[in-house]
Every structure is written in C-alpha cells, then in structure tokens.
Amino acid sequence: MSQRRFVHYVEGRGEALGEMLTAFLDALSEQTGLVDACLLASPEQPGLWLVESRWANTLPTLSVPQGCKSWSFEVQRLVPGRR
C-alpha cells in the first residue's frame, strides 16, 4: 500500500448512546483524512452501537463519547471488493 490507512472503532451500549454516537459520527466529517464512516446497530444485540471510521495517512485525536470504548488499527493489507 502506498499510503498508510487506519480504522477506528467506537463501541457503546445503551439506547441513549444511539443519539450520542450519531452526533459523534456527524462530527467526523469535519476531520481531515476521513475516508468514510458508519454507525452500526446489532439486530441480535439491541442497544449495542458501533461507529466504524476509515482514515487516510493519519488518525486524528478523537474525543470518544463518555461511556464508550475505542480501538484503532493500522491497515496492514487491503483487498478491494467487486462492484
């Protein structure tokens, strides 16, 4: 890969965190280097929320909402999908 890429996850549990993570997701669009991001809800685990964001070159310092956990990873290998 010619450029560094990162994936960042934020996990929260509880119905109230859905709105908080929606606001967090919306604010990501203002950050330089954002490739894309999505808010995920688990149909099998009601109240479980996950924000997945992908970044080019550097991962900015992100303010994770209170009560949430976060992880970041550097992409080591990328396989493109078919469209």
Side-chain angles (χ1 to χ4, degrees), residues 42-74:
S42 174
E44 295 178 10
Q45 298 181 61
L48 176 61
W49 300 94
L50 185 69
V51 172
E52 176 190 48
S53 57
R54 297 186 307 149
W55 301 85
N57 295 322
T58 59
L59 181 65
T61 302
L62 301 171
S63 296
V64 175
Q66 188 172 3
C68 295
K69 300 176 187 177
S70 70
W71 301 269
S72 59
F73 299 88
E74 184 172 0

Side-chain angles (χ1 to χ4, degrees), residues 18-28:
E19 287 182 31
M20 188 181 301
L21 288 175
T22 296
F24 175 79
L25 178 74
D26 292 342
L28 291 180

